[in-house]
Structure formats: structure tokens, C-alpha cells
Amino acid sequence: MKSFNERCYEVLMKVPKRRLTTYKEIARAIGTKAYRAVGTAMNKNPYSPKVPCHRVVNSNGEIGGFAFGVDKKIKMLKAEGVFIKNGKIADFEKVFYRFK
DNA sequence: CTAATGACATTTG
DNA sequence: ACAAATGCCATTA
């Protein structure tokens, strides 16, 4: 049986570039309501490039947090073509990736 | 085992 | 609309 964290990484890996997801959505994809714990898992994410932890934001469209600094996170997202407005995602609904 | 902690979310004032 | 309080669940000490 895989650990909670690995499950998070597994689903998060499915998120394509230029797309974003939320902590809650990831939890939902796994089949739990522990979105809080998802954040904890991301913080310790051992698979840095493989798992795009920077593509995870808050449900309200705000950036959220990042282990290496929020500014860094924003930078990376912008580099992928995601526009950010006032520390929030522009057209969040459009780029939001919902798991199936 | 108990307590403390956090990259969250929702409700309330 | 904004800030504070509450609830939440896995992880870690």
C-alpha cells in the first residue's frame, strides 16, 4: 500500500503544463477530504521535477504557499504561460484542471 | 499514544 | 469585501 503522499504525487503528475489544480481537488481525486494533509505532502515533495507541485493553488484562485518561496512559485507558473494577477490566478476557471 | 503543526477551506463577525 | 475563528486530516516529534 502506498503512502498518502505518494498518492498525491501520483495524481498531481497527471496535471499538464499551463494547467493548475487545487489541494482540495487532489484530495478529491484520491478519495479523501484531507486537503490540509495534501499541502503537507507537497511541502515534503521528494520528486521535485517529476511532480509539478508548483501547479497546485488554493481553491479561491490564490497562489497558496511554496517551500522555496511564493515568489518562486509565481515565477515558474508565469514561465509556463500562466498569467497571474495581484497574487492570484488570472482566468482561474479556464486553467483549472479537474481530475476524472 | 498524545500533542503539535501546516504549501487549506468554510463560516462568521 | 476583509479578518478572525473553526474545522480538518495526515505527518512528525
Side-chain angles (χ1 to χ4, degrees):
Chain A
M1 147 184 190
K2 297 189 168 210
S3 67
F4 180 84
N5 302 39
E6 289 185 32
R7 287 193 188 278
C8 295
Y9 307 141
E10 222 175 305
V11 294
L12 178 54
M13 236 185 298
K14 298 177 188 171
V15 180
K17 298 182 195 294
R18 286 168 188 273
R19 284 302 186 81
L20 300 175
T21 189
T22 68
Y23 299 93
K24 188 176 183 185
E25 178 60 19
I26 290 176
R28 193 184 67 77
I30 297 174
T32 178
K33 298 143 194 77
Y35 39 80
R36 193 79 181 275
V38 172
T40 306
M42 293 304 106
N43 184 31
K44 294 181 190 156
N45 169 34
Y47 315 83
S48 51
K50 200 151 161 66
V51 177
C53 47
H54 58 280
R55 295 185 198 143
V56 188
V57 298
N58 291 2
S59 291
N60 59 358
E62 292 186 9
I63 301 303
F66 195 61
F68 300 97
V70 183
D71 48 339
K72 199 82 174 179
K73 184 172 180 179
I74 295 175
K75 233 169 148 188
M76 295 174 74
L77 289 175
K78 280 178 132 188
E80 288 189 352
V82 178
F83 283 81
I84 299 180
K85 175 136 191 169
N86 276 347
K88 295 184 185 174
I89 306 299
D91 300 318
F92 178 55
E93 298 292 331
K94 288 187 179 179
V95 294
F96 177 72
Y97 181 84
R98 188 170 240 263
F99 293 101
K100 178 160 24 52

